[in-house]
Amino acid sequence: RSTLFPYTTLFRSLGIGLVAFSPLGRGFLAARVMPGDLADDDYRRRDARFEGQNLARNATVASEVRRLAAERAITPAQLALAWLLSQGDDVVAIPGTKRAPRLEENAAAADVGLSQADLRQLETIAPRAAWVGDRDAFAAHRTSRTGSGELA
């Protein structure tokens, strides 16, 4: 979809692929992070998606993703990665992991087929706008975004 990422249409017109960095939301979509789970020194505490009301809202959305994955007998990570891979042959994911079983689990997402009904249901329960917290401020260390989209 051209609305997946702001520059998808441009990238596709130029024959450029899109590499999704951290497509599992730093653990949210792998069902590995729950509110209250983060240690005081966890790097994600500097990420606005993992703070206060944002954390609570994002955990609610992630729980819906977990529910849908369970209905399909796959992991939430596989569901998220299968969705990403369904966006086009020019979209690839680079989920991080420290463990071989997670690598195998993530790779198996390539074999998960999602129907149009599945994709619509995902869009309903976890639309892009449902996730809250400025992930860009986390990516650009010690910066914040102004209302104009410029780095301050």
Side-chain angles (χ1 to χ4, degrees):
R1 291 186 330 214
S2 64
T3 59
L4 176 61
F5 301 103
Y7 303 106
T8 302
T9 302
L10 173 63
F11 291 166
R12 286 185 171 146
S13 72
L14 296 172
I16 298 171
L18 189 135
V19 178
F21 172 79
S22 193
L24 300 178
R26 305 249 182 238
F28 263 127
L29 293 174
R32 306 265 187 274
V33 178
M34 303 300 286
D37 283 354
L38 301 178
D40 289 341
D41 63 345
D42 191 306
Y43 71 94
R44 290 172 288 193
R45 287 194 174 271
R46 297 185 312 269
D47 185 329
R49 295 171 297 169
F50 289 83
E51 296 175 343
Q53 294 289 335
N54 292 346
L55 177 63
R57 173 65 186 137
N58 291 335
T60 299
V61 176
S63 102
E64 287 297 306
V65 173
R66 283 193 303 278
R67 181 189 57 74
L68 187 58
E71 289 175 6
R72 282 149 183 75
I74 58 176
T75 69
Q78 289 171 326
L79 179 60
L81 293 170
W83 173 85
L84 183 65
L85 295 173
S86 76
Q87 302 306 302
D89 292 338
D90 55 349
V91 178
V92 296
I94 52 170
T97 186
K98 296 177 185 175
R99 294 170 184 83
R102 296 293 80 78
L103 178 63
E104 293 167 1
E105 174 185 311
N106 292 344
D111 297 326
V112 172
L114 296 177
S115 68
Q116 289 302 311
D118 292 333
L119 296 173
R120 282 190 302 275
Q121 190 171 8
L122 273 168
E123 181 61 30
T124 299
I125 66 169
R128 185 172 181 185
W131 302 97
V132 293
D134 182 8
R135 73 182 300 271
D136 294 322
F138 178 75
H141 184 63
R142 297 183 191 273
T143 63
S144 62
R145 296 223 177 244
T146 65
S148 67
E150 295 176 355
L151 289 176

